[in-house]
Amino acid sequence: MASDFIQLFLGVAVRVALCAGVLLAGSSAQAAHIVVDTGHTLSRPGATGASGRVEYLYNLDVSNLVAADLRAAGDRVTQVAANGAEVELGKRSRVAPTADLFVSIHHDSMQQQFIDAGRQREFAGFAVFVSERNPKYAQSLRCASTIAEALIAAGEKPSLYHAEPIAGENRPLIDRRLGVHRFDGLAVLKTAPMPAVLVEVGVIVNPDEERRLARPEVIQRAALAIARGARACQQP
């Protein structure tokens, strides 16, 4: 794990350097303070991809570039859990309570019954979540929609898997075209004092999707789209 982590940071540093100077040049949004949360931790790394690489490392790849993109555009960024630190779910969204937006970056799994049945390749795409228990729900939904629009414009496709009427899913689908769902119980969304969005970038238990999501150009494109969407929803 330690060697994987070192290689990860070296790879991120190279990609950040490559994308500097070409980020968000056309945006007219005012500078904002945005919290970028890296989902999970090293000790609790989330889902395991088809290749065996854990979700936290995929989350870190994308969240570091989202943060770099936002900073390049002049925004103030607070990163959470990007340094391997253990941060409790209920505290993540309160690290910078006066921020304008909280964005949590994740990568998806699926119900174990589908993995056991060998159906991994049936599920792919991104999903975006908001919580109605967030005090800034309307703004959260606006930001979720602009992020989803940006991901679609970047060539990504939404997944509707989480709206399936099965145990463990059945999340209300707010916008079918954009893949925006409501998940009121998500801790980082319902505890946030600011607008909050959680993005599942793709399905890493799908071996085809995982290979695609590991490509540097896909990581850069998805990160830039998330950053652009996060900035766009700050406009009045």
Side-chain angles (χ1 to χ4, degrees), residues 21 62 66 131 135 192:
V62 175
V66 171
S131 171

Side-chain angles (χ1 to χ4, degrees), residues 101-217:
L101 177 65
F102 177 91
V103 181
S104 188
I105 304 298
H106 288 255
H107 286 72
D108 232 339
S109 182
M110 65 184 67
Q111 295 294 320
Q112 189 63 42
Q113 60 181 306
F114 296 117
I115 296 175
D116 293 342
R119 297 178 60 187
Q120 293 95 319
R121 285 182 165 86
E122 294 181 24
F123 305 96
F126 71 85
V128 186
F129 294 92
V130 292
S131 171
E132 202 168 42
R133 295 170 68 180
N134 179 280
K136 303 289 181 64
Y137 173 68
Q139 181 68 2
S140 298
L141 182 56
R142 179 184 177 190
C143 289
S145 298
T146 59
I147 289 171
E149 289 277 16
L151 284 166
I152 290 172
E156 297 299 312
K157 296 180 180 179
S159 167
L160 306 182
Y161 163 70
H162 292 287
E164 289 292 321
I166 58 175
E169 299 300 338
N170 202 27
R171 310 300 173 194
L173 185 59
I174 299 172
D175 192 312
R176 176 174 293 271
R177 182 180 69 85
L178 297 178
V180 177
H181 303 69
R182 204 183 84 226
F183 192 166
D184 293 336
L186 284 173
V188 294
L189 301 185
K190 69 181 182 180
T191 61
M194 74 288 282
V197 175
L198 186 146
V199 182
E200 298 277 5
V201 180
V203 184
I204 57 172
V205 295
N206 176 335
D208 302 325
E209 174 101 318
E210 184 191 28
R211 281 192 293 272
R212 189 183 71 84
L213 292 169
R215 288 160 47 192
E217 66 273 19

